[in-house]
Amino acid sequence: MMFSPNACASALLKKPASWFAHASAGIPKPMSSKSVIVIGGGLAGLSSAVALAEAGFRVRLLEKRPHLGGRAASYVLPGGEHVDNCQHVTLGCCTNLEDFYRRVGAENQIRFFDRLVFAAPDGRRGSISASALPPPLHMAPSFMFFPLLGFADKRAIAQALLAIARSGGKPADIGPDANGVGTTMLAWLQKHRQTERAIRRFWEVILVSALDEQLDRIDARYGIDVFWKAFLSTRRGYRLGIPRVPLGDLYEGCRKALARQGGEVQLRAGVRGFLIVDGRVEGVEREDGSVETADYYLAAVPQDVLPELLPAEVVQKEPVFSNLRNLCASPITGVHLWFDRTVMTEPFLTLLDSTTQWVFNKTQLYGGVGRSQNAQIGEQYLQLVISASYALSTRSRQEIIALCLDELRNVLPATRDAKLAKGTVVKEMSATFSPAPGSDRWRPAQKSPISALFLAGDWTFTGWPSTMEGAVRSGYLAAEAILSDAGMPRKLLQPDLRPEGLARLWSRET
Ligand SMILES: Cc1cc2nc3c(=O)[nH]c(=O)nc-3n(C[C@H](O)[C@H](O)[C@H](O)COP(=O)(O)OP(=O)(O)OC[C@H]3O[C@@H](n4cnc5c(N)ncnc54)[C@H](O)[C@@H]3O)c2cc1C
């Protein structure tokens, strides 16, 4: 029989006192003076759990799946090969994710790259990297010599980038209007007279993968923020960080951090619903029917799961919860290919004018880690990523692999003679929330209108798009809100990188 959290909660609402008098005998009591139950072991749940444990809380983290990491997780194939759910990359400007990796001892497992290499369908390469010039001019020399754009494209791009930089990353012409809705990135680019090729080979390439959405559906504020924070305001914001190990290995330190304060991580521990009495959470009911209580509850589940864990009346009454349905999802498709020989020497490549957007040389990036002794699938493992992959949603796995192989033959000629030992496709239809104009209106703060209930997740209000950095920010903000409620205020959120050079001057003027 299907469990209904609403039915359970309304039963509680009818007879709270007697139920608790009866039930409390079997309910484990919190051991320390302050305890919290975190529901969800993605980056939002993990970062808040670790920060609260470090502040002295006893934290119980309940995760439904058999592994930690949520959307940024890895698992082991039957042959022993470790596979990430999808390649995840970070940027130098992701200061909170960097802080989280440091707290759990994983910072050395991220390798940063200073040179971004692009490949055109004819196989030609172009790269960008920073020079000694002060930001925002540091990328200008490599951009000037970038061979895959023409003069008119570069002039248009330079003018638009200058408009972003001169405004300190906040151009006045992006909105929002009186209804809180900003202009789309595409409309802003057209207004700034970008050539068709500049849009296709520059803006689209960077923004579709950074924001997992098409330009005509991206709020320009998000798009402009990517360029300001990553490419214009500082020298190291654009550096691409790629894990040297399977994603799951990065979270090993979390369990220890919780255990030090008497807390624990429980896997395969799904929660069915919150027990809410008189506007306050009094417990959580687990899928095995047991009830657990704590001083605080932190829901770090995806935005479409949260309303299912709350009584229907509460969702209906509180716009914070009912508005979540307005956040739309966008898809990402990951393609995993194992070849019988070495077909790629670069660590990663960005493809222009192709369905495939990124190719990661996993064999080289792992450097032998994550590959068991007996894993014999193939000589080289590549992972391809296609963001905002709406067009692939109805295509079969075979069709997608064939399409990607066709594109690889142009940019990686060695694939023409290589044999594909194995190929798999992972379609994540709800990979991220869509950063559409006006979407910020539906993103709730981390302190919920229900007493003792706090929220974390990349979809809560952080100012950042749906990313690992956004998830960690939400976790830190939720932990700050709990600590403040407990009378132990503490600052956890890390500041953005400080603008440098001319960018610093211009950001002060605005
Ligand atoms: C294919 C793909 C590629 C991506 N690439 C990148 C990238 O390169 N860089 C980047 O920064 N971001 C990337 N992202 C986005 C990034 O993964 C997410 O923004 C981030 O991981 C979200 O973390 P979260 O903790 O908010 O949510 P989640 O990771 O979704 O965590 C929620 C957790 O709650 C658990 N849960 C759900 N229901 C229950 C329940 N009832 N009881 C207990 N537990 C429950 C889930 O199992 C899950 O572990 C990508 C996402 C996808 C899907």
Side-chain angles (χ1 to χ4, degrees):
M1 202 176 79
M2 286 286 286
F3 167 79
S4 155
N6 303 342
C8 172
S10 54
L12 270 166
L13 283 167
K14 278 180 212 144
K15 41 184 177 176
S18 58
W19 188 90
F20 276 102
H22 168 72
S24 58
I27 296 176
K29 284 267 183 295
M31 273 165 51
S32 71
S33 55
K34 293 292 173 201
S35 62
V36 58
I37 294 178
V38 176
I39 300 122
L43 277 160
L46 290 171
S47 54
S48 55
V50 169
L52 286 167
E54 285 178 359
F57 271 59
R58 179 178 173 242
V59 183
R60 268 167 291 162
L61 188 148
L62 307 179
E63 165 56 47
K64 190 182 174 102
R65 294 193 200 152
H67 51 251
L68 292 176
R71 277 169 275 164
S74 57
Y75 47 90
V76 185
L77 293 179
E81 200 82 8
H82 289 248
V83 176
D84 289 345
N85 173 40
C86 184
Q87 177 66 59
H88 274 64
V89 301
T90 179
L91 290 174
C93 59
C94 295
T95 50
N96 286 271
L97 183 63
E98 187 180 328
D99 179 74
F100 168 71
Y101 286 147
R102 188 185 48 71
R103 281 172 192 261
V104 299
E107 75 271 41
N108 293 331
Q109 306 290 18
I110 309 295
R111 183 173 163 201
F112 279 91
F113 294 85
D114 293 328
R115 191 164 160 263
L116 309 181
V117 183
F118 301 80
D122 60 8
R124 275 188 310 151
R125 307 289 204 258
S127 68
I128 57 167
S129 53
S131 69
L133 291 177
L137 306 174
H138 55 302
M139 313 289 265
S142 66
F143 179 68
M144 249 161 28
F145 292 107
F146 190 72
L148 309 177
L149 288 166
F151 176 72
D153 311 319
K154 290 182 188 175
R155 189 177 54 191
I157 293 168
Q159 280 167 352
L161 289 177
L162 195 64
I164 298 175
R166 292 298 307 257
S167 67
K170 295 184 175 63
D173 56 354
I174 55 172
D177 64 16
N179 298 320
V181 179
T183 189
T184 70
M185 192 66 203
L186 185 63
W188 190 83
L189 292 173
Q190 285 165 341
K191 190 169 167 197
H192 286 258
R193 300 169 168 277
Q194 298 303 292
T195 62
E196 185 274 324
R197 189 163 55 174
I199 291 178
R200 183 168 39 83
R201 285 199 162 182
F202 182 75
W203 299 99
E204 198 172 276
V205 170
I206 290 167
L207 291 178
V208 171
S209 39
L211 297 173
D212 186 26
E213 191 49 286
Q214 292 163 352
L215 295 183
D216 59 350
R217 301 191 202 191
I218 292 175
D219 188 326
R221 183 190 75 72
Y222 281 108
I224 281 164
D225 227 31
V226 170
F227 279 93
W228 171 247
K229 289 188 175 137
F231 293 97
L232 294 170
S233 62
T234 67
R235 193 184 304 284
R236 66 186 176 101
Y238 79 101
R239 295 171 74 224
L240 192 77
I242 308 183
R244 297 174 201 271
V245 293
L247 286 166
D249 292 11
L250 300 173
Y251 315 126
E252 296 284 321
C254 298
R255 287 166 194 276
K256 288 181 208 143
L258 268 54
R260 274 195 286 274
Q261 294 298 330
E264 61 182 331
V265 169
Q266 293 185 28
L267 301 176
R268 295 189 176 88
V271 163
R272 264 191 209 162
F274 290 97
L275 311 177
I276 297 177
V277 183
D278 296 335
R280 181 181 183 83
V281 180
E282 297 288 0
V284 286
E285 177 157 4
R286 290 177 47 167
E287 281 171 356
D288 63 8
S290 61
V291 173
E292 295 208 22
T293 63
D295 297 310
Y296 294 99
Y297 302 85
L298 176 46
V301 296
Q303 78 269 15
D304 54 337
V305 173
L306 179 64
E308 291 170 15
L309 305 183
L310 294 166
E313 316 83 80
V314 171
V315 176
Q316 233 167 7
K317 188 173 150 231
E318 299 291 351
V320 158
F321 302 126
S322 55
N323 280 337
L324 289 177
R325 63 170 176 260
N326 296 319
L327 281 177
C328 299
S330 17
I332 298 180
T333 300
V335 182
H336 304 252
L337 302 174
W338 286 265
F339 290 94
D340 67 342
R341 65 195 73 177
T342 298
V343 293
M344 179 174 182
T345 49
E346 292 129 320
F348 60 89
L349 262 183
T350 309
L351 269 49
L352 303 180
D353 301 342
S354 307
T355 299
T356 308
Q357 292 154 358
W358 288 80
V359 185
F360 294 92
N361 181 345
K362 296 296 285 181
T363 304
Q364 190 186 115
L365 290 164
Y366 279 166
V369 184
R371 193 162 206 279
S372 79
Q373 291 293 330
N374 59 359
Q376 295 293 337
I377 303 180
E379 189 55 34
Q380 194 170 47
Y381 166 31
L382 305 186
Q383 202 190 122
L384 284 48
V385 181
I386 303 152
S387 297
S389 55
Y390 297 100
L392 301 182
S393 61
T394 54
R395 306 281 289 269
S396 73
R397 282 163 170 66
Q398 289 84 345
E399 281 177 313
I400 294 171
I401 289 176
L403 175 81
C404 292
L405 283 176
D406 247 10
E407 293 181 343
L408 286 188
R409 282 184 196 112
N410 297 327
V411 292
L412 298 173
T415 55
R416 291 175 198 160
D417 301 321
K419 193 163 162 278
L420 185 69
K422 183 178 159 82
T424 60
V425 176
V426 182
K427 291 187 199 175
E428 284 272 5
M429 296 312 292
S430 301
T432 64
F433 74 81
S434 170
S439 52
D440 278 354
R441 290 173 300 169
W442 320 123
R443 299 177 69 183
Q446 287 72 27
K447 186 169 167 41
S448 91
I450 308 293
S451 288
L453 177 63
F454 293 79
L455 311 175
D458 58 358
W459 48 274
T460 59
F461 191 76
T462 63
W464 272 66
S466 180
T467 51
M468 297 188 287
E469 169 72 9
V472 173
R473 279 179 181 245
S474 78
Y476 284 177
L477 287 169
E480 281 183 5
I482 291 175
L483 288 166
S484 171
D485 193 273
M488 308 159 59
R490 185 177 293 201
K491 191 92 190 120
L492 296 166
L493 195 71
Q494 302 300 307
D496 286 334
L497 295 177
R498 277 176 65 151
E500 300 159 348
L502 279 173
R504 187 164 173 203
L505 204 68
W506 289 338
S507 63
R508 278 195 192 143
E509 281 172 8
T510 55

